[in-house]
Amino acid sequence: MTNKLYKWMNWPKIEEIIYSECDNPHELLGPHKLGSQTILQAYFPGAESVTVQWDFAEDAEEHKEIEMEVADEDGYFAALVPVKEMGFYRYVVSYGDGRSFVTGDPYRHKVQIDQKDIDKFKNGIHYTIYEKLGAHPMKLDGEDGTYFAVWAPNAMRVSVVGDFNRWDGRLHQMRRLSDGGIFELFIPGAKCGDNYKFELKLKGGLTYLKADPYGNAAQLRPDTASVITDLSGFAWTDQEFISNREKFQTGEVPMSVYEMYLGSFVNPKEGEIYANYREIAPKVISYVKEMGYTHVELMPVMEHPFDGSWGYQVIGYYAPTARYGTPQDFMYFVNELHKAGIGVILDWVPAHFPRDTYGLSNFDGTCLYEHRDPRQGFHPHWGTLIYNYGRPEVANYLIANGLFWVEKYHADGIRMDAVANMLYLDYGKNDGEWVANMYGGNENLEAIEMIKHFNSVLKKRDPGVLSIAEESTAFPLITGKLEEGGLGFDLKWNMGFMNDYLDYIKTDPYFRSYRHGELTFSMIYAYSENFILVFSHDEVVHGKATLVGKMPGDREQKFANLRLSYAYMMTHPGKKLLFMGQDLAEFDEWNENRLVEWDLLKVPEHKGVADLVKDLNALYRSQRALYELDSRREGFEWLNNISGNECYLSYVRKAKEPEDMLLVVANFAGIPQEITTGVPYEGKYKEIFNTDDVKYGGTGVVNKTVKKAQDVKWDEREQSVTVKLAPLSLSILQFIPYTEEELEKVIEQRLRKNTPVKKAAGKTKTAGKKETKRA
């Protein structure tokens, strides 16, 4: 090495780079002005020679070049270039075995994360931090490559390793930004489809690999690398759906959700393990449209290593699982469902994460994402780690992630899993396994604040997108307004309804009278939150039996109980959710290794259940009484909820207009009954649905004739009707006000008997059109 160049060498810093312990390689590597010249330094471990080329002509053939001098035989090179401003240049690297390659210089580019980004991230309010951290293909200073950034404040050194550098952590050591613990580097030539990880070295010398916490794609398990991808290229065509989304799914509208696991819906092609998102989409659309569901809810599509977790133990929070294709394939899936008018809700798991060593656990040698104290950071039942929600960067990671799926993948709802685990410090733990909060209580104050923060930002940035809580306790105001002290969710899973109802219905009808309260208790708290009624995947796995399998009695009674259950859920206040396969009355429990048993549609009993669910969905979407006042007490009225010995219920569902009212009579007894029930209005009642209809697999005990309210006092009402019901069946009757002519005859009869007439808010019908008269 020439003396002139030798004296500019910072040997201690060079040693840091060679020993891969440098967190600011840009201090030496890359171009640095030296008067009217530029000094270039580069490190290519094991290289024999390096030539730098610059001043390219337009055809890129003509250029200037100079061979760099060897500063260290391990592969450290330097050169003085007689140019003050280098512009674009490249290295030609040669090895003793004849190998060579051409590359740009990663260390000539400026930082792409500014202080404003860092400050927002440190304060937990950078809602698009995923656009800064992670891997982002781009053109920078005229070069195509990928920009990498990762948060690892306690690492001594971080490198990017991948297909583009033979997984050599010495080649692309990253720069630590002066504040915030972020490392970054732009790598020319790193392209979409390349696999990569971050290599971290700790002060004690321990060196290991981690997948990218913000990676947008990942390898198919069991491989664990992140994959470079570009999310900007997909052409969305769902603008019409998005513009109408708030009207479609918020407020008093019908919402019937088909919960599904993507891997169980479609048979893959021969030789494939899973079907592609693009293959699944048209079949989901066809089935969901035929059955009348409004939404699908996908069990977690975020990348996860263990099939048996069904996606609920997430490693790649920012990557749709590679099991079914690429991120662009998943975008296609959502886009196609939107074009078909179907909403897409995604399960999201911010409550815990697995301990897999390539993931978030002990990320930078410290408990960065989790708590250090296992009483705070470890969940003993699940064997997973709990997020440190009080660390702003961790809360930011999660909040931005929820927004990411809404804003990058057009999700219409985020269903937050295991909210109870987040709310309570002692959830699933014994004494001594948890630490109280600062006030001595068991509430996780940091998690509560994170949830409120997420819901607040979601409503401001993406109005009309639903936030749904899977929460199983009596924690108050889950769906309460944020400004009134609530958590700000739009909907809460009604786990109480599901558990109480299933406990009741699986009891032999002979003994149900003793459990009648479980059937009606849900209406005591039905309006304390905005609920969605669920028969979810949790109830048909792990030895719990499927829904039809839970039902008592012989085969015929099991199906009758199931039809009754679906009709009761559909007429009970609350949105609706049903897990895949249950609308076919599957007897086999679901697991991730099997498909939905579509062949059951060839069996009359099972086809009857499917037809029943289809007709219930149609009824739900067409009858205003089933949704228009769904979250208001005036939308529901018990007529008889105290006949436990007889095991029946009667109630009405109401809409804004009285003539839209529906009467529901349900027989939970194992014997046929003629049930007399009081009715709120004088008029006619026409059966429009009966679970015992032969087309649903019933015995055909239905009420074909229109029923007129009779002058028989019942259930503290002046008038009543009598409905004939088969064992384990439910009837829905539509209220039809009298025409003026019919009403006049009734009034005349009442006057003779001196009996009052209770009209439906003074409304009558004439010749097919409605008139409003005030009584």
Side-chain angles (χ1 to χ4, degrees):
M1 173 171 279
T2 62
N3 289 334
K4 186 175 183 181
L5 195 56
Y6 181 89
K7 70 178 182 179
W8 290 108
M9 296 295 96
N10 186 333
W11 297 109
K13 289 291 184 182
I14 291 173
E15 190 172 88
E16 279 188 9
I17 293 173
I18 291 174
Y19 282 94
S20 301
E21 295 179 350
C22 184
D23 66 357
N24 188 17
H26 293 70
E27 184 180 358
L28 296 187
L29 302 180
H32 296 273
K33 291 181 183 179
L34 196 61
S36 60
Q37 301 181 89
T38 298
I39 184 171
L40 291 176
Q41 299 179 67
Y43 180 46
F44 295 101
E48 187 174 84
S49 66
V50 177
T51 300
V52 60
Q53 301 177 340
W54 77 97
D55 198 13
F56 290 89
E58 287 187 11
D59 60 6
E61 292 295 327
E62 296 184 14
H63 58 266
K64 298 177 181 179
E65 66 178 37
I66 188 172
E67 186 170 347
M68 303 182 76
E69 298 185 43
V70 178
D72 188 287
E73 61 184 10
D74 194 64
Y76 196 92
F77 297 84
L80 273 174
V81 182
V83 175
K84 189 174 183 180
E85 298 289 344
M86 281 297 297
F88 172 73
Y89 62 92
R90 68 189 183 191
Y91 295 122
V92 180
V93 185
S94 300
Y95 294 85
D97 60 2
R99 288 184 301 115
S100 66
F101 67 91
V102 178
T103 181
D105 189 351
Y107 299 101
R108 78 179 185 93
H109 301 283
K110 294 181 180 179
V111 176
Q112 298 301 300
I113 299 176
D114 60 26
Q115 190 60 44
K116 185 177 179 181
D117 290 318
I118 294 172
D119 290 342
K120 289 167 66 177
F121 181 55
K122 286 171 61 179
N123 287 288
I125 56 172
H126 200 316
Y127 305 125
T128 56
I129 188 63
Y130 52 79
E131 294 180 348
K132 299 296 180 179
L133 300 183
H136 302 283
M138 62 176 64
K139 177 170 284 197
L140 195 57
D141 301 324
E143 281 188 284
D144 290 322
T146 299
Y147 184 79
F148 298 90
V150 63
W151 178 56
N154 299 296
M156 180 173 66
R157 183 265 301 169
V158 181
S159 299
V160 187
V161 295
D163 296 341
F164 40 81
N165 63 11
R166 299 168 66 96
W167 295 85
D168 189 338
R170 299 171 296 173
L171 270 173
H172 291 122
Q173 298 175 52
M174 304 176 79
R175 165 172 47 194
R176 183 197 300 269
L177 302 186
S178 60
D179 191 15
I182 294 173
F183 289 79
E184 62 85 43
L185 185 68
F186 176 80
I187 301 181
K191 61 188 183 302
C192 289
D194 284 346
N195 302 312
Y196 73 97
K197 281 187 177 181
F198 293 113
E199 182 182 275
L200 291 82
K201 187 172 185 178
L202 307 184
K203 291 180 181 179
L206 179 65
T207 304
Y208 54 90
L209 300 178
K210 288 285 189 181
D212 185 356
Y214 288 85
N216 293 143
Q219 288 183 298
L220 176 63
R221 57 96 183 96
D223 295 321
T224 59
S226 301
V227 180
I228 300 172
T229 190
D230 186 358
L231 300 183
S232 64
F234 186 79
W236 291 92
T237 56
D238 63 348
Q239 291 79 9
E240 182 178 355
F241 182 89
I242 296 295
S243 63
N244 293 323
R245 178 167 60 190
E246 188 168 6
K247 181 179 178 181
F248 170 68
Q249 66 180 23
T250 63
E252 306 291 17
V253 294
M255 182 176 175
S256 182
V257 182
Y258 183 70
E259 186 191 21
M260 63 179 295
Y261 179 76
L262 285 172
S264 292
F265 197 81
V266 175
N267 241 330
K269 294 178 180 176
E270 187 175 350
E272 300 290 334
I273 302 174
Y274 295 102
N276 186 276
Y277 292 112
R278 294 175 185 261
E279 298 165 2
I280 299 170
K283 296 183 179 180
V284 170
I285 290 168
S286 175
Y287 185 73
V288 169
K289 294 290 284 185
E290 178 187 354
M291 293 296 289
Y293 295 104
T294 62
H295 293 70
V296 296
E297 180 177 314
L298 305 182
M299 294 165 71
V301 296
M302 302 78 187
E303 193 57 79
H304 52 282
F306 178 43
D307 291 359
S309 76
W310 312 327
Y312 290 99
Q313 293 191 11
V314 180
I315 289 287
Y317 274 79
Y318 284 84
T321 178
R323 289 167 175 81
Y324 316 114
T326 67
Q328 292 72 24
D329 292 335
F330 183 57
M331 290 177 178
Y332 175 90
F333 176 91
V334 177
N335 191 63
E336 291 302 300
L337 264 67
H338 280 176
K339 286 163 58 180
I342 301 167
V344 179
I345 299 167
L346 301 182
D347 275 11
W348 182 51
V349 192
H352 60 114
F353 61 95
R355 294 177 292 168
D356 299 62
T357 55
Y358 71 92
L360 297 179
S361 66
N362 204 41
F363 188 80
D364 64 354
T366 69
C367 295
L368 188 64
Y369 286 87
E370 69 271 33
H371 287 277
R372 182 178 180 182
D373 188 335
R375 296 175 299 169
Q376 296 172 293
F378 179 70
H379 200 290
H381 286 188
W382 298 334
T384 52
L385 301 175
I386 300 172
Y387 284 103
N388 183 351
Y389 303 105
R391 182 168 285 160
E393 296 91 343
V394 175
N396 200 152
Y397 173 77
L398 293 170
I399 292 169
N401 182 243
L403 298 173
F404 168 83
W405 291 101
V406 171
E407 296 175 7
K408 291 296 184 182
Y409 286 93
H410 293 202
D412 306 301
I414 296 293
R415 178 267 196 184
M416 196 179 295
D417 183 66
V419 172
N421 179 72
M422 300 171 68
L423 297 178
Y424 293 104
L425 296 166
D426 60 347
Y427 184 86
K429 297 183 178 183
N430 300 315
D431 290 346
E433 294 179 343
W434 62 284
V435 179
N437 63 33
M438 60 191 294
Y439 301 112
N442 66 345
E443 299 87 1
N444 190 332
L445 303 179
E446 290 86 2
I448 291 170
E449 180 56 35
M450 193 280 289
I451 290 170
K452 288 182 176 181
H453 190 169
F454 170 72
N455 284 330
S456 172
V457 175
L458 180 66
K459 284 175 170 54
K460 290 175 183 176
R461 291 175 64 94
D462 304 289
V465 173
L466 297 173
S467 177
I468 304 169
E470 187 223 8
E471 206 284 325
S472 56
T473 74
F475 193 95
L477 298 175
I478 296 292
T479 58
K481 294 180 180 179
L482 290 162
E483 55 270 25
E484 296 175 359
L487 295 187
F489 287 101
D490 296 291
L491 294 168
K492 172 183 173 176
W493 273 28
N494 196 333
M495 312 291 278
F497 166 84
M498 178 179 68
N499 292 327
D500 287 344
Y501 181 79
L502 291 179
D503 281 345
Y504 175 86
I505 200 67
K506 68 185 181 184
T507 302
D508 188 289
Y510 187 81
F511 300 104
R512 281 178 182 168
S513 60
Y514 302 106
R515 311 191 73 160
H516 192 70
E518 290 179 316
L519 186 60
T520 61
F521 181 67
S522 58
M523 284 310 303
I524 293 176
Y525 61 85
Y527 302 105
S528 62
E529 303 279 5
N530 295 324
F531 284 116
I532 178 168
L533 308 181
V534 296
F535 289 140
S536 70
H537 70 274
D538 282 324
E539 297 310 307
V540 297
V541 293
H542 298 326
K544 296 179 183 178
T546 62
L547 291 179
V548 70
K550 296 179 197 294
M551 303 300 162
D554 58 23
R555 185 177 178 88
E556 182 180 345
Q557 290 169 326
K558 285 180 179 292
F559 277 90
N561 272 302
L562 185 67
R563 296 192 300 267
L564 167 61
S565 297
Y566 289 159
Y568 183 59
M569 180 178 77
M570 197 61 77
T571 56
H572 187 290
K575 313 297 187 186
K576 325 296 177 186
L577 178 144
L578 186 63
F579 182 59
M580 66 189 316
Q582 302 314 296
D583 51 5
L584 307 181
E586 291 182 342
F587 275 97
D588 291 337
E589 284 189 355
W590 175 78
N591 68 73
E592 72 281 1
N593 296 316
R594 75 162 178 86
L595 287 177
V596 172
E597 298 177 273
W598 298 115
D599 285 346
L600 291 178
L601 287 171
K602 301 174 184 177
V603 181
E605 297 158 304
H606 296 273
K607 178 64 163 59
V609 171
D611 289 341
L612 175 128
V613 173
K614 176 180 177 180
D615 287 354
L616 280 172
N617 276 329
L619 198 68
Y620 176 44
R621 298 178 72 167
S622 64
Q623 294 293 327
R624 293 180 178 274
L626 294 177
Y627 65 84
E628 198 170 62
L629 299 176
D630 201 42
S631 62
R632 288 182 263 177
R633 294 183 185 276
E634 55 266 33
F636 179 93
E637 182 183 357
W638 284 120
L639 298 175
N640 188 319
N641 64 339
I642 60 173
S643 294
N645 289 336
E646 293 77 22
C647 297
Y648 79 84
L649 296 174
S650 63
Y651 50 94
V652 291
R653 295 298 309 275
K654 300 178 182 179
K656 292 178 181 177
E657 298 297 332
E659 66 265 29
D660 291 327
M661 183 189 74
L662 296 178
L663 168 66
V664 181
V665 187
N667 179 20
F668 290 88
I671 59 173
Q673 297 194 73
E674 289 196 0
I675 297 173
T676 300
T677 177
V679 291
Y681 300 131
E682 177 65 71
K684 295 177 289 187
Y685 292 83
K686 178 183 179 182
E687 185 174 85
I688 58 173
F689 181 88
N690 194 307
T691 63
D692 199 57
D693 196 307
V694 290
K695 66 180 178 179
Y696 305 135
T699 62
V701 178
V702 296
N703 298 271
K704 295 181 179 180
T705 59
V706 175
K707 298 183 178 298
K708 294 183 179 180
Q710 300 298 309
D711 300 334
V712 178
K713 291 185 179 182
W714 209 272
D715 299 327
E716 299 181 354
R717 271 77 176 179
E718 295 296 324
Q719 286 84 33
S720 61
V721 297
T722 298
V723 181
K724 180 174 58 176
L725 286 173
L728 310 170
S729 67
L730 181 146
S731 173
I732 303 175
L733 299 98
Q734 187 173 39
F735 169 63
I736 304 173
Y738 283 134
T739 64
E740 284 190 353
E741 182 178 341
E742 291 170 331
L743 184 62
E744 287 174 2
K745 292 181 179 179
V746 171
I747 292 175
E748 185 178 340
Q749 293 172 358
R750 296 294 185 272
L751 289 175
R752 292 197 192 109
K753 298 179 181 179
N754 198 24
T755 304
V757 178
K758 186 172 183 181
K759 296 185 293 181
K763 295 200 173 183
T764 61
K765 263 190 175 180
T766 59
K769 85 174 179 180
K770 300 176 182 176
E771 293 182 357
T772 302
K773 294 184 179 180
R774 295 297 172 193

